[in-house]
Amino acid sequence: MAASASAARLLAGDSLTIHVSSRPQLAMVSALPRSSPPTWRLGRPVRLSTSSPHARSVRCLAAGGGLAPEMRATLDKVVASHKVVLFMKGTKDFPQCGFSHTVVQILRSLDVPFETLDVLANEALRQGLKDYSRWPTFPQLYIDGEFFGGCDITVEAYKSGELQETLEKAMCS
Amino acid sequence: MRQKLQSALEASALEIEDVSYQHAGHAAVKDNANETHFNIRVISSKFEGQSLVKRHRMVYGLLTDELNSGLHAISIVAKTPTESGS
């Protein structure tokens, strides 16, 4: 299956191989059920098989160097915490950047509940996200735990209807 | 920047617009509102079959040096020749 093939490639080439047994000091290890070691090794939930192809490659690419496992685990949790998560500059009521503001407007007009996080308030989060998403700029929109895109992509998808479709699917799942 | 994008992407059309002036006074642009924000429109057959996220990543990947030194934001339109109708 493509997902496990790419997972194998990831483990083979990546220096970030974390084996459950050798990292007992990490709190996350004990929290995870022993029956799912592949989940832990990938460092992210194994939902790859049901995702669209582009999302699958996003996951593989996102195993960038320089990202601490704790940060990765935290970000995993954050993007999974709500169906729609927007990392932006400023807050949804006070955006501090035109691009971030645009995405907030779009989401508001679609009447979807969404969570925003201000990356200007937290430099570690800001840098961590750039590595995690392998995306150098903000805003960054995550739908259903997967990176969707920045402002341009969101606007395009909104115009084409793809954004609404993706959101609907996420809300119903 | 133009050369890099042009040669790596074998772009059939490439437009780069410096819109830094539109963002002067913006939180992250300190003193120098020069070459910080760009609009990039590129048409390349290399984008064929690639999702938007992948296409944008390709462009970002080519501009890593610039992004680490002053370039703050880019707005990307990345199309294939078929899509752009040319």
Side-chain angles (χ1 to χ4, degrees):
Chain A
M1 188 172 67
S4 45
S6 39
R9 267 204 303 276
L10 206 66
L11 289 173
D14 193 7
S15 55
L16 192 72
T17 42
I18 302 165
H19 296 288
V20 170
S21 54
S22 62
R23 293 279 191 120
Q25 69 271 26
L26 285 173
M28 283 300 293
V29 174
S30 50
L32 285 175
R34 284 280 171 174
S35 58
S36 59
T39 306
W40 174 243
R41 262 190 237 122
L42 274 178
R44 55 188 80 254
V46 181
R47 285 184 279 169
L48 300 177
S49 53
T50 56
S51 307
S52 62
H54 97 264
R56 229 184 279 140
S57 57
V58 163
R59 297 297 182 100
C60 297
L61 288 174
L67 182 62
E70 299 83 12
M71 173 61 87
R72 179 183 299 282
T74 307
L75 291 173
D76 279 343
K77 275 203 280 196
V78 174
V79 304
S81 63
H82 291 80
K83 291 289 183 182
V84 185
V85 181
L86 178 66
F87 297 99
M88 59 181 285
K89 297 186 169 177
T91 61
K92 74 163 84 157
D93 294 315
F94 293 103
Q96 295 204 35
C97 153
F99 303 117
S100 290
H101 181 55
T102 302
V103 180
V104 169
Q105 300 272 68
I106 290 178
L107 291 174
R108 279 215 161 113
S109 77
L110 294 176
D111 218 11
V112 288
F114 63 103
E115 173 81 0
T116 63
L117 279 107
D118 184 0
V119 300
L120 294 178
N122 186 336
E123 193 56 39
L125 176 69
R126 184 177 179 178
Q127 196 46 57
L129 272 169
K130 290 187 180 183
D131 292 328
Y132 182 82
S133 317
R134 268 200 83 215
W135 195 265
T137 56
F138 292 95
Q140 292 182 10
L141 181 62
Y142 276 79
I143 300 179
D144 217 6
E146 288 168 13
F147 181 64
F148 185 78
C151 177
D152 293 335
I153 293 182
T154 305
V155 169
E156 281 281 330
Y158 174 66
K159 288 198 270 187
S160 71
E162 195 188 326
L163 176 65
Q164 291 86 321
E165 230 180 86
T166 311
L167 285 169
E168 229 170 295
K169 263 196 257 173
M171 293 300 159
C172 298
S173 67
Chain B
M1 191 161 71
R2 173 177 290 277
Q3 263 181 318
K4 247 196 247 192
L5 291 172
Q6 180 78 44
S7 52
L9 295 173
E10 289 167 25
S12 52
L14 175 62
E15 288 161 29
I16 304 183
E17 195 190 342
D18 181 349
V19 290
S20 311
Y21 66 92
Q22 287 177 6
H23 295 262
H26 171 20
V29 175
K30 291 164 212 167
D31 323 287
N32 196 14
N34 243 359
E35 304 212 333
T36 54
H37 290 71
F38 285 89
N39 290 339
I40 298 182
R41 182 188 154 79
V42 56
I43 299 177
S44 159
S45 49
K46 289 206 164 181
F47 292 141
E48 207 76 56
Q50 306 272 346
S51 71
L52 275 183
V53 175
K54 276 216 202 123
R55 297 181 192 186
H56 287 216
R57 281 219 170 94
M58 279 168 76
V59 177
Y60 279 135
L62 292 166
L63 298 174
T64 325
D65 290 335
E66 285 81 358
L67 282 163
N68 284 335
S69 53
L71 176 61
H72 174 67
I74 42 179
S75 193
I76 307 174
V77 175
K79 295 200 187 276
T80 61
T82 340
E83 284 167 6
S84 72
S86 63

Coordinates of all heavy atoms in Angstrom, one line a residue, chain A residues 44-123:
Chain A
R44 N 2.8 10.7 13.2 CA 1.6 11.4 13.0 C 0.5 10.3 12.7 O 0.9 9.2 12.4 CB 1.6 12.3 11.8 CG 2.2 11.7 10.5 CD 2.4 12.8 9.5 NE 3.7 13.5 9.6 CZ 3.7 14.7 10.1 NH1 2.6 15.4 10.4 NH2 4.9 15.3 10.2
P45 N -0.8 10.6 12.9 CA -1.8 9.6 12.8 C -1.8 8.9 11.5 O -1.6 9.5 10.5 CB -3.1 10.3 13.0 CG -2.8 11.7 13.5 CD -1.3 11.9 13.2
V46 N -2.0 7.6 11.5 CA -2.0 6.8 10.2 C -3.4 7.0 9.6 O -4.2 6.1 9.7 CB -1.7 5.4 10.5 CG1 -1.7 4.6 9.2 CG2 -0.3 5.2 11.2
R47 N -3.5 8.1 8.9 CA -4.8 8.3 8.1 C -4.5 8.4 6.7 O -5.3 8.8 5.9 CB -5.5 9.5 8.6 CG -6.2 9.4 10.0 CD -6.9 10.6 10.3 NE -6.1 11.6 10.9 CZ -6.5 12.9 11.1 NH1 -7.6 13.3 10.7 NH2 -5.6 13.8 11.6
L48 N -3.3 8.1 6.3 CA -2.8 8.3 5.0 C -3.6 7.6 3.9 O -3.8 8.2 2.9 CB -1.3 7.9 4.9 CG -0.4 8.6 5.8 CD1 1.0 8.1 5.6 CD2 -0.4 10.1 5.5
S49 N -4.0 6.4 4.2 CA -4.7 5.6 3.2 C -6.0 6.3 2.7 O -6.5 6.1 1.6 CB -4.9 4.2 3.6 OG -5.6 4.3 4.9
T50 N -6.6 7.0 3.6 CA -7.9 7.6 3.2 C -7.8 9.0 2.6 O -8.7 9.6 2.2 CB -8.9 7.7 4.4 OG1 -8.3 8.4 5.4 CG2 -9.2 6.3 4.9
S51 N -6.5 9.5 2.7 CA -6.4 10.9 2.2 C -6.2 11.0 0.7 O -5.9 10.0 0.1 CB -5.1 11.5 2.9 OG -5.2 11.3 4.2
S52 N -6.3 12.2 0.2 CA -6.1 12.4 -1.2 C -4.6 12.3 -1.4 O -3.8 12.5 -0.5 CB -6.5 13.8 -1.6 OG -5.8 14.8 -0.9
P53 N -4.2 12.0 -2.7 CA -2.7 11.8 -2.9 C -1.9 13.0 -2.5 O -0.8 12.9 -2.0 CB -2.7 11.7 -4.5 CG -4.0 11.2 -4.9 CD -5.0 11.7 -3.8
H54 N -2.4 14.2 -2.7 CA -1.5 15.3 -2.4 C -1.3 15.4 -0.9 O -0.2 15.8 -0.5 CB -2.0 16.6 -3.0 CG -2.8 17.5 -2.1 ND1 -4.2 17.5 -2.0 CD2 -2.5 18.4 -1.2 CE1 -4.6 18.4 -1.2 NE2 -3.6 19.0 -0.6
A55 N -2.3 15.1 -0.1 CA -2.1 15.1 1.3 C -1.1 14.1 1.8 O -0.3 14.3 2.6 CB -3.5 14.9 2.0
R56 N -1.1 12.9 1.1 CA -0.2 11.9 1.5 C 1.2 12.4 1.3 O 2.1 12.2 2.1 CB -0.4 10.7 0.6 CG -0.5 9.4 1.3 CD -0.7 8.2 0.4 NE -2.0 8.0 0.0 CZ -2.3 7.7 -1.3 NH1 -1.4 7.4 -2.2 NH2 -3.6 7.5 -1.6
S57 N 1.5 13.0 0.2 CA 2.9 13.5 0.0 C 3.2 14.6 0.9 O 4.4 14.8 1.3 CB 3.1 13.9 -1.5 OG 2.2 14.9 -1.8
V58 N 2.2 15.4 1.3 CA 2.5 16.4 2.3 C 3.0 15.8 3.5 O 4.0 16.3 4.1 CB 1.2 17.2 2.6 CG1 1.3 18.0 3.8 CG2 0.8 18.1 1.4
R59 N 2.4 14.7 4.0 CA 2.8 14.0 5.2 C 4.3 13.6 5.1 O 5.1 13.7 6.0 CB 1.9 12.8 5.5 CG 0.5 13.2 5.8 CD 0.3 14.1 7.0 NE -1.0 14.4 7.2 CZ -1.7 13.7 8.2 NH1 -1.2 12.8 8.9 NH2 -3.0 14.1 8.3
C60 N 4.6 13.0 3.9 CA 5.9 12.4 3.8 C 7.0 13.6 3.7 O 8.0 13.5 4.4 CB 6.1 11.7 2.4 SG 5.0 10.2 2.4
L61 N 6.7 14.6 3.0 CA 7.6 15.7 2.9 C 7.8 16.4 4.2 O 8.8 17.0 4.5 CB 7.1 16.7 1.9 CG 7.1 16.3 0.4 CD1 6.4 17.4 -0.4 CD2 8.6 16.2 -0.1
A62 N 6.7 16.4 5.0 CA 6.8 17.2 6.2 C 7.7 16.7 7.3 O 7.8 17.2 8.4 CB 5.4 17.3 6.8
A63 N 8.4 15.6 7.1 CA 9.3 15.1 8.1 C 10.6 15.8 8.0 O 11.7 15.2 7.9 CB 9.6 13.6 7.9
G64 N 10.6 17.1 8.1 CA 11.8 17.9 7.9 C 12.7 17.8 9.1 O 12.4 17.4 10.2
G65 N 14.0 18.1 8.8 CA 15.0 18.1 9.9 C 14.8 19.3 10.8 O 14.2 20.3 10.4
G66 N 15.4 19.3 11.9 CA 15.3 20.4 12.8 C 14.1 20.6 13.6 O 13.9 21.6 14.3
L67 N 13.1 19.7 13.4 CA 11.9 19.8 14.2 C 11.9 18.8 15.3 O 12.0 17.6 15.1 CB 10.7 19.5 13.3 CG 9.3 19.7 13.9 CD1 9.1 21.1 14.3 CD2 8.3 19.3 12.9
A68 N 11.9 19.3 16.5 CA 12.0 18.5 17.7 C 10.7 17.6 17.8 O 9.6 18.0 17.5 CB 12.0 19.3 19.0
P69 N 10.9 16.3 18.2 CA 9.8 15.4 18.3 C 8.7 15.9 19.2 O 7.5 15.7 18.9 CB 10.4 14.1 18.9 CG 11.8 14.3 18.9 CD 12.2 15.7 18.6
E70 N 9.0 16.6 20.3 CA 8.0 17.2 21.2 C 7.1 18.2 20.4 O 5.9 18.2 20.6 CB 8.6 17.8 22.4 CG 9.4 16.9 23.3 CD 10.9 16.7 22.8 OE1 11.3 17.5 21.9 OE2 11.5 15.8 23.2
M71 N 7.8 19.0 19.7 CA 7.1 20.1 18.9 C 6.2 19.4 17.9 O 5.0 19.8 17.7 CB 8.1 21.0 18.2 CG 7.5 22.0 17.3 SD 6.4 23.2 18.0 CE 7.5 24.4 18.6
R72 N 6.7 18.4 17.2 CA 5.9 17.7 16.2 C 4.7 17.1 16.9 O 3.6 17.2 16.3 CB 6.8 16.6 15.6 CG 6.0 15.8 14.5 CD 6.8 14.7 13.9 NE 8.0 15.2 13.3 CZ 8.0 15.8 12.1 NH1 6.9 15.9 11.4 NH2 9.1 16.2 11.5
A73 N 4.9 16.4 18.0 CA 3.8 15.8 18.7 C 2.7 16.9 19.1 O 1.5 16.7 19.0 CB 4.3 15.1 19.9
T74 N 3.2 18.0 19.6 CA 2.3 19.1 20.0 C 1.5 19.6 18.8 O 0.3 19.7 18.9 CB 3.1 20.2 20.6 OG1 3.9 19.8 21.6 CG2 2.2 21.3 21.1
L75 N 2.2 19.8 17.7 CA 1.5 20.3 16.5 C 0.5 19.3 16.0 O -0.5 19.6 15.5 CB 2.5 20.7 15.4 CG 3.4 21.9 15.8 CD1 4.5 22.2 14.8 CD2 2.5 23.1 15.9
D76 N 0.9 18.0 16.0 CA 0.0 16.9 15.7 C -1.3 17.1 16.4 O -2.4 17.0 15.9 CB 0.5 15.6 16.0 CG 1.5 15.1 14.9 OD1 1.5 15.6 13.8 OD2 2.3 14.2 15.2
K77 N -1.2 17.3 17.7 CA -2.4 17.4 18.6 C -3.2 18.7 18.2 O -4.4 18.6 18.1 CB -2.0 17.5 20.0 CG -1.8 16.2 20.7 CD -1.9 16.2 22.2 CE -0.7 16.8 22.8 NZ -0.6 16.5 24.2
V78 N -2.5 19.8 18.0 CA -3.2 21.0 17.7 C -4.0 20.9 16.4 O -5.1 21.3 16.4 CB -2.1 22.2 17.6 CG1 -2.8 23.5 17.1 CG2 -1.5 22.4 18.9
V79 N -3.3 20.4 15.4 CA -4.1 20.4 14.1 C -5.2 19.4 14.1 O -6.1 19.4 13.3 CB -3.1 20.1 12.9 CG1 -2.0 21.1 12.8 CG2 -2.6 18.7 12.8
A80 N -5.2 18.4 15.0 CA -6.2 17.5 15.1 C -7.3 17.9 16.1 O -8.4 17.3 16.1 CB -5.7 16.1 15.6
S81 N -7.0 19.0 16.8 CA -8.0 19.4 17.9 C -9.3 20.0 17.4 O -10.3 19.9 18.0 CB -7.3 20.4 18.8 OG -7.0 21.6 18.0
H82 N -9.2 20.6 16.2 CA -10.5 21.1 15.6 C -10.5 20.7 14.1 O -9.4 20.5 13.5 CB -10.5 22.7 15.7 CG -10.7 23.1 17.1 ND1 -9.6 23.2 18.0 CD2 -11.8 23.6 17.8 CE1 -10.1 23.7 19.1 NE2 -11.3 23.9 19.0
K83 N -11.7 20.8 13.5 CA -11.8 20.4 12.1 C -11.0 21.4 11.3 O -10.4 21.1 10.3 CB -13.2 20.4 11.7 CG -14.0 19.3 12.3 CD -13.6 17.9 11.7 CE -14.5 16.8 12.3 NZ -14.1 15.5 11.8
V84 N -11.1 22.7 11.6 CA -10.5 23.7 10.9 C -9.6 24.5 11.8 O -10.0 25.1 12.7 CB -11.5 24.6 10.2 CG1 -10.8 25.6 9.3 CG2 -12.6 23.8 9.4
V85 N -8.3 24.5 11.5 CA -7.3 25.2 12.3 C -6.5 26.2 11.4 O -6.0 25.8 10.4 CB -6.3 24.3 13.0 CG1 -5.4 25.1 13.9 CG2 -7.1 23.3 13.8
L86 N -6.5 27.4 11.8 CA -5.8 28.4 11.0 C -4.7 29.0 11.8 O -4.9 29.6 12.9 CB -6.8 29.5 10.5 CG -6.1 30.7 9.7 CD1 -5.6 30.2 8.4 CD2 -7.1 31.8 9.5
F87 N -3.5 28.9 11.3 CA -2.3 29.5 12.0 C -2.1 30.8 11.2 O -1.9 30.8 10.0 CB -1.1 28.7 11.8 CG -1.2 27.3 12.6 CD1 -1.5 26.2 11.9 CD2 -1.0 27.3 13.9 CE1 -1.7 25.0 12.5 CE2 -1.2 26.1 14.6 CZ -1.5 24.9 13.9
M88 N -2.3 31.9 12.0 CA -2.2 33.2 11.3 C -1.5 34.2 12.1 O -1.0 34.0 13.2 CB -3.7 33.7 11.1 CG -4.4 33.9 12.4 SD -6.1 34.4 12.2 CE -5.9 36.1 11.8
K89 N -1.4 35.4 11.4 CA -0.7 36.5 12.1 C -1.8 37.4 12.7 O -2.6 37.9 12.0 CB 0.1 37.3 11.1 CG 1.2 36.5 10.6 CD 2.1 37.3 9.7 CE 3.4 36.5 9.3 NZ 4.2 37.2 8.4
G90 N -1.8 37.4 14.1 CA -2.9 38.1 14.7 C -3.9 37.1 15.1 O -3.8 35.9 15.1
T91 N -5.1 37.7 15.5 CA -6.2 36.8 15.9 C -7.3 37.0 15.0 O -7.3 37.9 14.1 CB -6.7 37.2 17.3 OG1 -7.2 38.5 17.3 CG2 -5.6 37.1 18.4
K92 N -8.3 36.1 15.1 CA -9.4 36.2 14.1 C -10.2 37.5 14.2 O -10.7 38.0 13.2 CB -10.3 35.0 14.2 CG -11.3 34.9 15.3 CD -12.4 33.9 15.1 CE -12.0 32.5 15.4 NZ -13.1 31.6 15.7
D93 N -10.1 38.1 15.4 CA -10.8 39.4 15.5 C -9.9 40.6 15.2 O -10.3 41.6 14.8 CB -11.3 39.6 16.9 CG -12.5 38.6 17.2 OD1 -13.3 38.4 16.3 OD2 -12.4 38.0 18.3
F94 N -8.6 40.3 15.3 CA -7.6 41.4 15.0 C -6.5 40.8 14.1 O -5.4 40.7 14.6 CB -7.1 42.0 16.2 CG -8.1 42.8 17.0 CD1 -8.6 42.2 18.2 CD2 -8.5 44.0 16.6 CE1 -9.6 42.9 18.9 CE2 -9.5 44.7 17.3 CZ -10.0 44.2 18.4
P95 N -6.7 40.5 12.9 CA -5.7 40.0 12.0 C -4.6 41.1 11.8 O -4.9 42.3 11.7 CB -6.3 39.7 10.7 CG -7.8 39.8 10.9 CD -8.0 40.6 12.1
Q96 N -3.3 40.6 11.8 CA -2.3 41.6 11.6 C -1.6 41.5 10.3 O -0.5 41.9 10.1 CB -1.2 41.5 12.7 CG -1.9 41.8 14.1 CD -0.8 42.2 15.1 OE1 0.1 42.8 14.8 NE2 -1.1 41.8 16.3
C97 N -2.3 40.9 9.3 CA -1.7 40.7 8.0 C -2.8 40.6 7.0 O -3.8 39.9 7.3 CB -0.8 39.5 8.1 SG -0.6 38.7 6.5
G98 N -2.7 41.2 5.9 CA -3.7 41.1 4.8 C -4.1 39.7 4.4 O -5.2 39.4 4.2
F99 N -3.1 38.9 4.2 CA -3.3 37.5 3.8 C -4.1 36.7 4.8 O -5.0 36.0 4.5 CB -2.0 36.8 3.4 CG -1.2 37.5 2.4 CD1 0.1 38.0 2.7 CD2 -1.6 37.7 1.1 CE1 0.9 38.6 1.8 CE2 -0.9 38.4 0.2 CZ 0.4 38.8 0.5
S100 N -3.7 36.9 6.1 CA -4.4 36.2 7.2 C -5.8 36.7 7.2 O -6.7 35.9 7.4 CB -3.7 36.5 8.5 OG -2.4 35.9 8.6
H101 N -6.0 38.0 7.1 CA -7.3 38.6 7.1 C -8.2 38.0 6.1 O -9.4 37.7 6.3 CB -7.2 40.1 7.0 CG -8.5 40.8 7.0 ND1 -9.3 40.7 8.1 CD2 -9.0 41.7 6.2 CE1 -10.4 41.5 7.9 NE2 -10.2 42.1 6.7
T102 N -7.7 37.8 4.9 CA -8.4 37.3 3.8 C -9.0 35.9 4.1 O -10.1 35.6 3.9 CB -7.6 37.2 2.5 OG1 -7.1 38.5 2.2 CG2 -8.3 36.7 1.3
V103 N -8.1 35.1 4.6 CA -8.5 33.7 4.9 C -9.6 33.7 6.0 O -10.6 33.0 5.9 CB -7.3 32.8 5.3 CG1 -7.8 31.4 5.7 CG2 -6.3 32.8 4.2
V104 N -9.4 34.5 7.0 CA -10.5 34.6 8.1 C -11.8 35.0 7.5 O -12.8 34.4 7.8 CB -10.0 35.7 9.1 CG1 -11.2 36.0 10.1 CG2 -8.9 35.2 9.9
Q105 N -11.8 36.0 6.6 CA -13.0 36.5 5.9 C -13.7 35.3 5.2 O -14.9 35.2 5.2 CB -12.7 37.5 4.8 CG -12.0 38.8 5.4 CD -13.0 39.8 5.8 OE1 -13.7 39.6 6.8 NE2 -13.1 40.9 5.1
I106 N -12.9 34.6 4.4 CA -13.4 33.5 3.7 C -14.1 32.5 4.6 O -15.2 32.0 4.4 CB -12.3 32.8 2.8 CG1 -11.9 33.7 1.7 CG2 -12.8 31.5 2.2 CD1 -10.8 33.2 0.8
L107 N -13.4 32.1 5.6 CA -13.9 31.1 6.5 C -15.2 31.6 7.2 O -16.2 30.8 7.4 CB -12.9 30.7 7.6 CG -11.7 29.9 7.0 CD1 -10.6 29.7 8.1 CD2 -12.1 28.6 6.5
R108 N -15.2 32.8 7.6 CA -16.4 33.4 8.2 C -17.6 33.4 7.3 O -18.7 33.1 7.6 CB -16.1 34.9 8.6 CG -15.3 35.0 9.9 CD -15.8 36.3 10.6 NE -15.4 36.2 12.0 CZ -14.5 36.9 12.6 NH1 -13.9 37.9 11.9 NH2 -14.2 36.8 13.9
S109 N -17.3 33.7 6.0 CA -18.4 33.8 5.0 C -19.0 32.4 4.8 O -20.1 32.3 4.4 CB -17.9 34.4 3.7 OG -17.2 33.5 3.0
L110 N -18.2 31.4 5.0 CA -18.7 30.0 4.8 C -19.3 29.5 6.0 O -19.8 28.4 6.1 CB -17.5 29.1 4.4 CG -16.9 29.4 3.0 CD1 -15.7 28.5 2.8 CD2 -17.9 29.2 1.9
D111 N -19.3 30.3 7.1 CA -20.0 29.9 8.3 C -19.5 28.6 8.9 O -20.3 27.8 9.4 CB -21.5 29.8 8.0 CG -22.3 30.4 9.2 OD1 -21.7 31.0 10.1 OD2 -23.5 30.1 9.2
V112 N -18.2 28.4 8.9 CA -17.6 27.2 9.5 C -17.0 27.6 10.8 O -16.3 28.6 10.9 CB -16.6 26.5 8.6 CG1 -17.2 25.8 7.5 CG2 -15.5 27.4 8.2
P113 N -17.1 26.7 11.8 CA -16.4 27.0 13.1 C -14.9 26.7 12.8 O -14.5 25.7 12.2 CB -17.0 25.9 14.0 CG -17.6 24.9 13.2 CD -17.9 25.5 11.8
F114 N -14.1 27.7 13.3 CA -12.6 27.4 13.1 C -11.9 28.0 14.2 O -12.3 29.0 14.9 CB -12.1 28.0 11.7 CG -12.3 29.5 11.6 CD1 -11.2 30.3 11.7 CD2 -13.5 30.1 11.3 CE1 -11.3 31.7 11.5 CE2 -13.6 31.5 11.1 CZ -12.5 32.3 11.2
E115 N -10.7 27.4 14.5 CA -9.8 27.8 15.5 C -8.7 28.6 14.9 O -8.2 28.2 13.9 CB -9.3 26.5 16.2 CG -8.3 26.7 17.3 CD -8.9 27.2 18.6 OE1 -10.1 27.3 18.7 OE2 -8.1 27.4 19.6
T116 N -8.3 29.7 15.6 CA -7.1 30.4 15.0 C -6.0 30.4 16.1 O -6.3 30.4 17.3 CB -7.4 31.8 14.6 OG1 -7.8 32.6 15.7 CG2 -8.5 31.8 13.5
L117 N -4.8 30.4 15.6 CA -3.6 30.5 16.5 C -2.7 31.6 16.0 O -2.4 31.7 14.8 CB -2.9 29.2 16.6 CG -3.5 28.2 17.6 CD1 -4.2 27.1 16.8 CD2 -2.5 27.7 18.5
D118 N -2.3 32.5 16.9 CA -1.5 33.6 16.5 C 0.0 33.3 16.6 O 0.5 33.1 17.6 CB -1.8 34.8 17.5 CG -1.1 36.1 17.1 OD1 -0.3 36.1 16.1 OD2 -1.2 37.0 17.9
V119 N 0.6 33.2 15.4 CA 2.0 32.8 15.4 C 2.9 34.0 15.8 O 4.1 33.8 16.1 CB 2.4 32.2 14.0 CG1 1.6 31.0 13.7 CG2 2.3 33.3 13.0
L120 N 2.4 35.2 15.8 CA 3.2 36.3 16.2 C 3.4 36.3 17.7 O 4.4 36.9 18.2 CB 2.5 37.6 15.8 CG 2.4 37.9 14.3 CD1 1.7 39.2 14.0 CD2 3.8 37.9 13.6
A121 N 2.5 35.6 18.4 CA 2.6 35.6 19.8 C 3.5 34.6 20.3 O 3.9 34.5 21.5 CB 1.2 35.3 20.4
N122 N 4.0 33.7 19.4 CA 4.8 32.6 19.9 C 5.8 32.2 18.8 O 5.5 31.6 17.8 CB 3.9 31.4 20.2 CG 4.6 30.2 20.8 OD1 5.8 30.0 20.6 ND2 3.9 29.4 21.5
E123 N 7.0 32.7 19.0 CA 8.1 32.5 18.0 C 8.4 31.0 17.8 O 8.7 30.6 16.7 CB 9.3 33.3 18.4 CG 10.4 33.4 17.3 CD 9.8 34.1 16.1 OE1 9.0 35.0 16.2 OE2 10.2 33.6 15.0

